[in-house]
């Protein structure tokens, strides 16, 4: 993973020349005057961990110094996550949020020992899986040295039950590796979020990740059947049966707790047979409204596709679904409106896929859709993990690119869409960087859907501050329009203030009570999810 | 509702003569020597509510005395729930768990006021919906006077959103009334547990109810999108979107909290169009093992029926699926083994139902099933709510009849089935009342299933004590075999000790922390779900 960008440097996606022109002429993007900092130039600031704490951590991981790392490069590589502000700050050499040490435990008992050591020494601890948070989930809200708990050594498939179709994984396993292990036994997890290539199973659980095949496979929190959580106060195990009436669902208390309640040390998930057929296709609708209506009908009455997404007019035109051809469809107003492109994918057996396709096609056609063949589906599938690479190139070129997302009941979707678009457009235009705002629906339910917005504009003088204002306005618009502050990115520190309003004072107090019970010293990811406890 | 039995007295189901003979000859059932107590004979014991508390409650419900009832009949009618021990105790005139007063609030604000009054006066409060708990959920574990909060006045459909397909109800509405209101608008909830005719929507939420159409419609906790909870500390609202990554799911903390965290004052649920076709059919398998395997394949790979249940050999033989004909299939060993009967039901549009039926039939046939036509399905549908009526007649005849249930992952189902059967059989045989133990699978998931046991034996000297021992042994067997202590009956007081072990010490502490936060005086259903807080 690039320390100041996304993914494998060998897979960098340069911007095509027409895009550079488009950015310049239409959004006023200018090349950046400043050179990005180089890793070896960056001085990582103190304060360091005190020696007694370091010794306690060392002893928690078997006394081996390679598992308590304090070198500059390791610390820089564990600084914050991968939001655009995170990248802009680290590119400028700002590593003020670097951990004082990176600890690499091997197994549940070592995690418990590390947590006890941190609690005893009052050292905050941030669980670190793939490091892909885009909501500030990896930088604690309290000052002073902290530890990043890197879970990469805990990367085993612990159990596969082919009868019950369940698999138990350690948390630090990255998703492609989990798929490889399952595929070898004929199974798949079916969880393919955009962060797929780097994110870990523990991270998916802690943040309630949702993948691009959620229409067919559900969200990650739907897949989770069991969890083990290591906390400073001991171990919590949940999930003796798929479903139970024995009290509140403790799994659902751990899912989405973002490391604030403990460290997920194993996760048992539903697995399914590897589909024999995968078929992704394009459909075009005259408008986002018409397309959203067709998606709703499919989600409510139709056979459920495995993948179901719909880009709005702007996103369709810009063709973000095909990043390597960004802008190839022309610029807004330059030609006929392109309508809205949907990608509809089916996975399963040959027979089942064929039938679901036919039934869905009838419903989509009835909803005004035009079949566009497999080419748009293939393009989407080829580029499904490339957007973060493209963002790096945009940042290099002096553009700003970021995303945000929400969800609501179907009847609120049109109002939510308009409110968020307008908030983003108005705020960034005011800042002198009028944006391109694109949106798609990528997750559908019987009762509602998600909206995923992508914003591209010039960086301007102070892109981090400009974006903070735009994001603030968008978050206010989301709450006012009845949406949730995050459908699948999570809360982190970035969404915390709105999350607190969404959960309400009593909801927050209940969660704080859980946190105080599991983490009385308040060392676990302080300031992430919930405001740091002033009493801790 | 009968005060000392189930349902509408006009619908009492007398035992057919052959059944009486079977009970006598095979289980040694003898008519009871004692006459059941009559309502007007029963003296309800004190202690009464103190006058200042009564005044505070009165003021919370607008000063109208008809909403703070202390007459004997009302108190008797709110004594405990409908487990067999509950019925045996009340039939003997034991009303030691009668509430001191029954309060009937109208609306969320009155509930809040009642809760504040109870907290101020340290009076325990038990929320009371349909009064159908079979796990001791309506008798607090602390001595002294308590209040039953009867929610029957809060019985409105507050909102129906036909676009999002959501409906918001007050908690005290009974299920048939909710269906009637929804049906009039073209929708159904699709939730039909055995308690359907009497249970309320708030009760379904508080106890994680699961209905007989759960294969197609899901459990009640799957249907819940939003909740409002009134607590002594204020209001908690949850559910801005079908799904969210904004923190732990607070809905899932309220669902299953059984009145220990607060009173559900509104619940927003997913609704669906009324199915045009309903078709229930019978399939026969050579053994429970073979049938369970076929159900598993259907749950994992097949088109999901709306109703899917499988009786074991004993239940099939005894024909509890057709209570009015109990025993008509002969007694075990009297003839050829009858195999195992499955009921497979489909609801939906004509076309969809036809197709799912055909696909399911192919899979069931492939799994060894024999199609038995619609007659067994019709019989099941006709008798689906009659088992509790039959129980009253069995109790009248001197027999003991009770049920218990669990769930586990598929690979554990055979071991769980054997362990629970053996525990029940051995304990009751030891007590001199060898039982008939029947079982069915009534809820299936991709990864597991529920097991529902029915036990019939002679009452013997002390049926409550005998059953307590048998239930204890069964609960131990459930935990040892990897099952959950309840799949859909809930925890109440009866399952509490095993629930505490299932949740683990840290899970229990986390839930206690939530309870202390929402209910610092510990007045809400003390001893239900969690042990009564010694500090409260």
């Amino acid at each position: 993973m690039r320390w100041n960008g996304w993914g494998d440097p060998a897979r960098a996606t340069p911007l095509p020349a027409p895009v550079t022109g488009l950015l310049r002429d239409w959004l006023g993007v200018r090349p950046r005057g400043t050179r990005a900092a180089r890793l070896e130039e960056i001085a990582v600031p103190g304060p360091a961990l005190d020696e007694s704490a370091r010794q306690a951590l060392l002893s928690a991981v078997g006394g081996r110094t390679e598992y308590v790392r304090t070198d500059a490069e390791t610390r820089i590589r564990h600084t914050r996550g991968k939001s655009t502000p995170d990248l802009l700050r680290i590119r400028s050499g700002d590593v003020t949020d670097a951990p004082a040490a990176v600890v690499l435990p091997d197994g549940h008992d070592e995690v418990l020992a590390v947590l006890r050591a941190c609690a005893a020494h009052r050292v905050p601890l941030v669980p670190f899986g793939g490091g892909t948070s885009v909501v500030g989930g990896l930088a604690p809200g309290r000052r002073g040295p902290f530890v990043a708990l890197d879970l990469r050594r805990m990367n085993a498939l612990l159990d596969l039950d082919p009868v019950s179709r369940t698999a138990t994984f350690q948390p630090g396993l990255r998703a492609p590796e989990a798929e490889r292990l399952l595929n070898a036994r004929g199974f798949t997890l079916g969880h393919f979020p955009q962060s797929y290539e780097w994110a870990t199973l523990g991270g998916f659980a802690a943040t309630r990740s949702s993948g691009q095949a959620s229409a067919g496979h559900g969200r990650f929190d739907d897949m989770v059947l069991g969890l083990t959580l290591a906390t400073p106060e001991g171990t919590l195990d949940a999930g003796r049966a798929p479903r139970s009436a024995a009290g509140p669902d403790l799994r659902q208390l751990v899912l989405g707790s973002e490391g604030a309640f403990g460290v997920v040390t194993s996760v048992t998930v539903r697995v399914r047979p590897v589909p024999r057929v995968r078929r992704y296709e394009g459909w075009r609708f005259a408008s986002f409204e018409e397309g959203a209506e067709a998606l709703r009908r499919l989600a409510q009455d139709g056979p459920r596709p495995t993948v179901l997404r719909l880009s709005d007019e702007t996103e369709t035109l810009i063709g973000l679904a095909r990043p390597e051809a960004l802008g190839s469809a022309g610029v807004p107003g330059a030609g006929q409106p392109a309508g809205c492109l949907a990608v509809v994918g089916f996975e399963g057996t040959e027979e089942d896929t064929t039938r679901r396709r036919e039934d869905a096609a009838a419903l989509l056609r009835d909803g005004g859709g035009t079949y566009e063949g497999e080419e748009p589906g293939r393009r989407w599938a080829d580029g499904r993990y490339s957007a973060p690479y493209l963002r790096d190139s945009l940042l290099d070129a002096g553009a700003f690119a970021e995303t945000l997302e929400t969800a609501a009941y179907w009847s609120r979707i049109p109002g939510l869409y308009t409110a968020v678009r307008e908030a983003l457009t108005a705020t960034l235009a005011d800042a002198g960087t009028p944006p391109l705002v694109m949106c798609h629906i990528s997750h559908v339910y019987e009762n509602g859907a998600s909206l995923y917005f992508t914003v591209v504009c010039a960086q301007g003088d102070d892109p981090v501050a400009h974006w903070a204002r735009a994001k603030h306005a968008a978050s206010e618009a989301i709450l006012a329009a009845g949406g949730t502050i995050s459908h699948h990115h999570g809360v982190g520190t970035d969404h915390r203030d709105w999350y607190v309003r969404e959960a309400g004072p009593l909801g927050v107090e209940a969660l704080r009570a859980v946190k105080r019970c599991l983490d009385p010293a308040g060392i676990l990811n302080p300031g992430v999810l919930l405001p740091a406890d002033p009493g801790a």
Side-chain angles (χ1 to χ4, degrees), chain A:
Chain A
M1 175 73 94
R2 281 182 64 189
W3 66 278
N4 63 354
W6 182 263
D8 178 358
R11 287 185 46 204
T13 307
L15 294 182
V19 175
T20 317
L22 185 152
L23 292 169
R24 183 190 57 228
D25 299 343
W26 197 52
L27 295 176
V29 170
R30 296 286 171 271
R32 291 163 54 91
T34 53
R35 184 177 67 81
R38 279 158 49 196
L39 184 87
E40 56 276 18
E41 293 169 352
I42 298 176
V44 191
L49 217 53
D50 76 51
E51 183 53 23
S52 62
R54 202 187 63 83
Q55 286 297 338
L57 290 169
L58 200 55
S59 137
V61 291
R64 293 178 55 182
T65 50
E66 67 267 42
Y67 300 137
V68 181
R69 299 187 189 163
T70 55
D71 63 285
E73 179 171 344
T74 300
R75 292 174 62 199
I76 292 170
R77 288 185 177 280
H78 290 80
T79 301
R80 307 189 194 97
K82 298 296 180 186
S83 73
T84 301
D86 286 347
L87 299 188
L88 289 171
R89 289 176 67 194
I90 206 157
R91 280 162 170 244
S92 78
D94 171 359
V95 289
T96 44
D97 294 319
V102 177
V103 178
L104 297 94
D106 188 17
H108 178 78
D109 291 343
E110 286 197 5
V111 173
L112 283 177
V114 171
L115 291 173
R116 282 192 298 260
C118 284
H121 292 268
R122 290 292 194 275
V123 178
L125 176 143
V126 177
F128 194 101
T132 63
S133 172
V134 291
V135 292
L138 301 171
R142 281 216 323 249
R143 304 235 158 236
F146 72 95
V147 161
L149 189 78
D150 189 318
L151 296 158
R152 71 179 66 187
R153 293 175 69 206
M154 295 170 65
N155 62 357
L157 169 60
L158 298 174
D159 184 56
L160 179 72
D161 174 350
V163 173
S164 307
R165 294 192 181 169
T166 64
T168 302
F169 290 100
Q170 285 189 307
L173 191 67
R174 276 161 51 182
E177 191 62 12
E179 275 299 321
R180 198 187 60 75
L181 291 169
L182 290 175
N183 290 175
R185 306 277 294 269
F187 290 102
T188 179
L189 184 54
H191 187 66
F192 307 105
Q194 193 162 78
S195 59
Y196 173 74
E197 295 174 334
W198 298 90
T200 60
L201 298 195
F204 290 150
T207 60
R208 292 186 178 269
S209 171
S210 191
Q212 293 167 354
S214 70
H217 290 294
R219 303 159 55 88
F220 196 76
D221 46 18
D222 293 327
M223 299 173 190
V224 172
L225 297 162
L227 284 162
T228 305
L229 187 75
T231 83
E233 295 295 292
T235 302
L236 193 155
D237 264 311
R240 288 175 75 84
R243 305 302 293 273
S244 166
D249 193 337
L250 291 172
R251 298 174 292 204
Q252 297 287 337
L253 192 61
V254 173
L255 292 164
S257 63
E258 302 189 7
F261 291 171
V263 178
V264 172
T265 57
S266 83
V267 57
T268 299
V269 289
R270 172 192 81 196
V271 296
R272 288 176 171 169
V274 173
R276 282 184 224 135
V277 176
R278 285 193 174 87
R279 190 153 171 174
Y280 310 122
E281 302 169 326
W283 284 79
R284 196 167 290 266
F285 293 89
S287 67
F288 191 53
E289 195 183 349
E290 184 186 79
E293 192 63 17
L295 261 64
R296 177 173 75 86
R297 286 191 55 203
L298 207 47
Q300 291 181 338
D301 295 323
R304 192 70 72 84
T306 311
V307 172
L308 186 56
R309 27 200 312 126
L310 171 74
S311 294
D312 72 354
E313 288 84 350
T314 311
E315 188 170 286
T316 300
L317 207 53
I318 297 300
L320 257 197
R322 189 182 171 186
E324 73 283 12
L326 182 71
S328 64
V331 292
Q336 289 305 305
C340 289
L341 185 69
V343 172
V344 186
F346 298 90
E347 301 177 2
T349 61
E350 182 72 49
E351 191 189 343
D352 179 56
T353 302
T354 302
R355 188 185 278 177
R356 281 156 65 221
R357 273 190 67 224
E358 283 167 9
D359 290 355
L363 208 145
L364 292 168
R365 208 166 272 124
D366 190 54
T370 312
Y371 182 62
E372 298 263 309
E374 293 196 44
E375 174 59 16
R378 208 161 19 232
R379 270 192 282 129
W380 168 78
D382 289 346
R384 61 196 293 185
Y385 305 125
S386 53
Y389 287 102
L390 181 69
R391 176 180 58 169
D392 281 339
S393 300
L394 287 165
L395 295 180
D396 290 343
F400 176 93
E402 184 56 302
T403 65
L404 61 84
E405 39 79 67
T406 177
Y409 297 111
W410 282 113
S411 57
R412 292 180 185 163
I413 289 291
L416 182 62
Y417 171 68
T418 304
V420 176
R421 263 177 65 90
E422 287 180 0
L424 290 167
T425 305
T427 324
L428 289 167
D430 272 2
T433 54
L436 195 61
V437 178
M438 297 163 273
C439 182
H440 62 251
I441 291 175
S442 49
H443 305 271
V444 297
Y445 305 92
E446 276 183 71
N447 308 103
S450 71
L451 290 177
Y452 188 97
F453 294 89
T454 302
V455 178
V456 180
C457 62
Q459 288 188 13
D461 306 335
D462 188 348
V464 173
H466 289 176
W467 177 247
R469 277 195 292 278
K471 172 86 177 172
H472 189 285
S475 300
E476 291 294 325
I478 284 171
L479 254 60
T484 176
I485 196 62
S486 175
H487 170 266
H488 59 274
H489 283 172
V491 176
T493 46
D494 296 355
H495 291 150
R496 190 186 58 210
D497 295 350
W498 293 273
Y499 171 59
V500 160
R501 285 156 60 188
E502 185 171 329
L506 206 55
V508 169
E509 277 315 305
L511 295 175
R512 268 186 189 284
V514 172
K515 180 164 173 68
R516 282 195 206 104
C517 168
L518 303 177
D519 175 29
I523 53 142
L524 279 162
N525 240 359
V528 167
L529 188 67
L530 300 168
D533 197 331

